[in-house]
Amino acid sequence: MSTAPRDPHRPVAHLRPHPNWINDPNGLVFHDGHYHVFHQYNPHGATHTHMHRGHFRSPDLLTWEQLPIALAPTPGGVDSDGCFSGNAVSDGDRLGGSCGHSLTRHHRAHDVPVA
């Protein structure tokens, strides 16, 4: 993720997911020797819709590894239109994340895979 870009105007130390929408970093946490960043991510396109929570980790805040999607909307659930906000917390053994829905103030928490 942090290799030198082809575009000389793009920062080198910058979170760069696979193509599509990225926005709103939340849930910045240090857990098990890595810094973790969660963010809005649309895996289906470059528009602000179908929001999931993307996940990166880094041992040094310079070299970033993109991990699988941390949270996804629940079909038919109160967050079915997207996980637009979230957070993360580490209890020392586990890394947990939550997805908040701005209209219903619904939150759901999950253990988040860290590797």
Side-chain angles (χ1 to χ4, degrees):
M1 290 301 143
S2 296
T3 58
R6 292 183 185 154
D7 179 350
H9 302 289
R10 189 169 183 176
V12 174
H14 185 74
L15 299 176
R16 297 185 304 223
H18 297 295
N20 296 331
W21 183 274
I22 179 175
N23 191 32
D24 195 25
N26 284 301
L28 310 172
V29 66
F30 186 81
H31 175 78
D32 198 26
H34 287 89
Y35 299 92
H36 294 263
V37 174
F38 298 87
H39 58 88
Q40 286 183 356
Y41 180 58
N42 177 358
H44 307 294
T47 58
H48 192 251
T49 185
H50 305 293
M51 217 47 60
H52 292 59
R53 299 307 294 170
H55 185 190
F56 286 96
R57 75 175 178 181
S58 171
D60 57 11
L61 295 175
L62 294 174
T63 308
W64 291 95
E65 172 188 10
Q66 186 172 4
L67 297 175
I69 290 172
L71 297 171
T74 305
V78 295
D79 63 351
S80 62
D81 62 342
C83 294
F84 285 89
S85 186
N87 61 39
V89 65
S90 170
D91 70 2
D93 293 324
R94 295 174 301 159
L95 180 62
S98 71
C99 174
H101 185 281
S102 60
L103 296 178
T104 63
R105 299 185 188 273
H106 168 75
H107 293 274
R108 59 187 176 96
H110 296 279
D111 285 337
V112 176
V114 294

